[in-house]
């Protein structure tokens, strides 16, 4: 741990520290037995180790009492906009169309989008949730069974892996790609190295660089070729060499329909700015961001920004076309935020609710909040005419990718 980076963070309670120590012990044993582990594997353990990882153990995580607030946690305007956008899509796709949500978090999005779809009178045949965390799945189940009418709850199903048979519908993921275990690479004497986590003589975790394997080196060289320049010596950043395989795995069987990803990130040349010499990796602990991924493993969320050019490439190679790439603010406005806000405002019970609605709009759209940091990428396959607002297609910034 680097105290200068983390000394101003809130102290963990004794049980939290004990929890982190258990994960630490598990990591030490793995590293002692097998040698230094790639950073991506370390991140995977920190987030998803059964019963120990950040997403797989019973901590609050989301919302005011947790470590970060996502768009669906702010209130229901975000999900209502997406319901408004998807309503005509489901109408065109017909009765057999499903909605697949990846990484459902607290279940806030599923609840709000399904309630809005009920109000709009067009429901998907099934609402599938692919959620790797058993703990979050349980919380989603509890929340949705309490909030939804029984006949709508009956359409919700949790799946362990992406559908194998061909299907039609909509795949949606908010802030999931940023949570995929990322590879960290660094350049030394023109060669690609991969960051690993090792142990020092006292059993403390430390970061070491080892020559990258062909998959990682090949992915970094591809980025260099696309940028038209080589990375400087000492340059360090993140890359997801497995992204094309992941997209193929989750969406390969989606024959007709849309995929919508919303996340924070940049186009490639902004992601790999020469001055961004240590990548985009961030840790979050009780609403404070810091940059030490070795601090209290298992208690911190670890994330990296998304290279949206890489996402577009991955979607294209899985057979999808990018229909629109837009900052979140413009995306929500094109999806009908104004109308959704006015309806909610009209039906608001009191000034507190009205104030909250106005705050939601600000947080979702202001450039220094989520409005420009977050991007929406909409893909389509097998739908020659897209039943989405012209304003969304007009706002497309795909040429920047
Ligand atoms: C930052 S949270 C976002 C949760 C929710 N979408 C929201 O916006 O509040 C990341 C979510 O992605 C899930 N996740 C991580 N890896 C995943 C994967 N490979 N497939 C599906 N979900 C995944 C996590 O368990 C968690 O629910």
């Amino acid at each position: 741990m680097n105290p200068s980076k983390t000394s101003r963070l809130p102290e963990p309670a004794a049980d939290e520290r004990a929890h982190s120590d258990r994960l630490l012990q598990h990591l030490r044993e793995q590293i002692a037995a097998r040698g230094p582990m790639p950073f991506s594997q370390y991140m995977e353990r920190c987030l998803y180790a059964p019963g120990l990882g950040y997403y797989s153990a019973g901590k609050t995580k989301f919302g005011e009492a947790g470590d970060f607030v996502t768009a669906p946690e702010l209130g229901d305007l975000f999900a209502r906009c997406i319901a408004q956008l998807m309503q005509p899509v489901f109408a065109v796709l017909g009765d057999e169309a499903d909605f697949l949500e990846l990484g459902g978090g607290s279940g806030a999005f599923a609840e709000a989008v399904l309630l809005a779809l009920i109000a709009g009178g067009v429901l998907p045949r099934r609402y599938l949730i692919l959620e790797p965390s058993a703990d979050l799945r349980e919380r989603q189940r509890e929340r949705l069974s309490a909030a939804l009418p029984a006949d709508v709850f009956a359409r919700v199903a949790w799946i362990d892996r992406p559908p194998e048979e061909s299907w039609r519908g909509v795949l949606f993921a908010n802030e999931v790609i940023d949570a995929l275990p990322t590879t960290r690479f660094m350049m030394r004497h023109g060669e690609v190295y991969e960051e690993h986590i090792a142990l020092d003589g006292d059993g403390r975790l430390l970061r070491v660089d080892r020559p990258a394997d062909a998959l990682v080196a090949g992915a970094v060289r591809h980025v260099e070729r696309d940028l038209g320049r080589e990375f400087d010596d000492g340059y360090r950043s993140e890359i997801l060499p497995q992204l094309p395989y992941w997209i193929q795995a989750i969406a390969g069987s989606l024959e007709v329909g849309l995929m919508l990803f919303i996340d924070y990130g940049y186009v490639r040349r902004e992601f790999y700015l020469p001055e961004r010499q240590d990548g985009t990796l961030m840790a979050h602990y009780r609403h404070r961001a810091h940059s030490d991924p070795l601090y209290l493993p298992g208690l911190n969320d670890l994330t990296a920004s998304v290279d949206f050019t890489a996402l577009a490439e991955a979607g294209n190679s899985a057979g999808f076309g990018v229909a629109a790439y837009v900052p979140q603010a413009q995306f929500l406005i094109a999806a009908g935020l104004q109308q959704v806000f006015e309806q909610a405002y009209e039906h608001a019970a009191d000034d507190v609710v009205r104030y909250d609605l106005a705050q939601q709009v600000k947080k979702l759209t202001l450039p220094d909040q989520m409005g420009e940091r977050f991007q929406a990428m909409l893909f389509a396959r097998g739908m020659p005419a897209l039943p989405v607002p012209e304003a969304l297609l007009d706002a497309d910034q795909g040429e920047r990718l």
Side-chain angles (χ1 to χ4, degrees), residues 28 199-205:
R28 282 196 190 106
L199 296 176
D200 71 8
D202 297 321
R204 280 189 299 248
L205 302 179

Side-chain angles (χ1 to χ4, degrees), residues 37-100:
M37 71 171 48
F39 181 83
S40 56
Q41 201 182 330
Y42 168 80
M43 180 165 164
E44 195 272 329
R45 303 275 84 198
C46 286
L47 298 183
Y48 307 110
L52 293 173
Y54 180 79
Y55 282 111
S56 34
K59 215 175 147 242
T60 304
K61 308 171 203 30
F62 303 97
E64 292 296 326
D67 301 294
F68 54 84
V69 178
T70 60
E73 297 295 328
L74 294 171
D76 63 5
L77 292 184
F78 176 81
R80 288 170 74 166
C81 287
I82 291 171
Q84 173 139 318
L85 182 69
M86 294 307 171
Q87 204 97 34
V89 177
F90 280 106
V92 166
L93 289 175
D95 296 346
E96 306 273 280
D98 294 329
F99 195 117
L100 167 55

Side-chain angles (χ1 to χ4, degrees), residues 48 55 62 68 70 72 103-105 130-132 136 174-176 180 246:
Y48 307 110
Y55 282 111
F62 303 97
F68 54 84
T70 60
L130 179 55
E131 171 57 69
L136 289 180
N174 186 60
E175 287 207 44
V176 173
L180 294 181
W246 186 76

Side-chain angles (χ1 to χ4, degrees), residues 279-300:
T280 65
L281 186 73
M282 293 286 267
H284 285 99
Y285 183 58
R286 303 225 198 118
H287 295 283
R288 317 260 174 109
H290 67 93
S291 59
D292 187 353
L294 304 187
Y295 178 63
L296 294 175
L299 299 188
N300 285 264

Side-chain angles (χ1 to χ4, degrees), residues 99-123:
F99 195 117
L100 167 55
E101 183 183 2
L102 303 182
S106 70
F109 178 82
E111 176 186 336
V113 85
L114 280 166
L115 290 175
L117 288 170
I118 296 171
V122 182
L123 276 170

Side-chain angles (χ1 to χ4, degrees), residues 180-341:
L180 294 181
T182 184
T183 295
R184 298 254 299 158
F185 70 90
M186 75 90 70
M187 304 304 294
R188 188 184 293 167
H189 308 309
E191 298 297 324
V192 184
Y193 280 67
E194 182 177 357
E195 193 172 299
H196 284 65
I197 305 298
L199 296 176
D200 71 8
D202 297 321
R204 280 189 299 248
L205 302 179
L206 88 159
R207 304 203 240 176
V208 295
D209 299 317
R210 305 180 113 198
D213 64 19
L215 181 67
V216 172
V220 173
R221 296 304 185 200
H222 166 75
V223 170
E224 285 185 323
R225 275 195 300 279
D226 191 41
L227 292 172
R229 62 178 169 81
E230 289 180 2
F231 291 122
D232 291 342
D233 236 33
Y235 190 80
R236 193 179 289 275
S237 192
E238 294 86 33
I239 195 159
L240 288 173
Q242 77 279 25
L243 191 62
Y245 310 101
W246 186 76
I247 293 287
Q248 178 62 39
I250 55 150
S253 57
L254 173 52
E255 217 158 62
V256 181
L258 304 180
M259 300 197 283
L260 174 61
F261 294 94
I262 302 185
D263 223 312
Y264 38 89
Y266 315 93
V267 295
R268 178 167 284 153
R269 64 181 180 287
E270 289 170 12
F271 188 105
Y272 294 108
L273 284 177
E275 56 271 33
R276 203 194 301 284
Q277 290 194 348
D278 194 25
T280 65
L281 186 73
M282 293 286 267
H284 285 99
Y285 183 58
R286 303 225 198 118
H287 295 283
R288 317 260 174 109
H290 67 93
S291 59
D292 187 353
L294 304 187
Y295 178 63
L296 294 175
L299 299 188
N300 285 264
D301 184 28
L302 299 176
T303 71
S305 295
V306 175
D307 168 359
F308 274 95
T309 307
L311 181 60
E313 287 172 350
N316 289 158
S317 56
F320 290 81
V322 176
Y325 169 65
V326 257
Q328 176 171 295
Q330 278 167 271
F331 172 79
L332 293 176
I333 290 165
L337 178 61
Q338 176 82 24
Q339 194 193 340
V340 165
F341 170 75

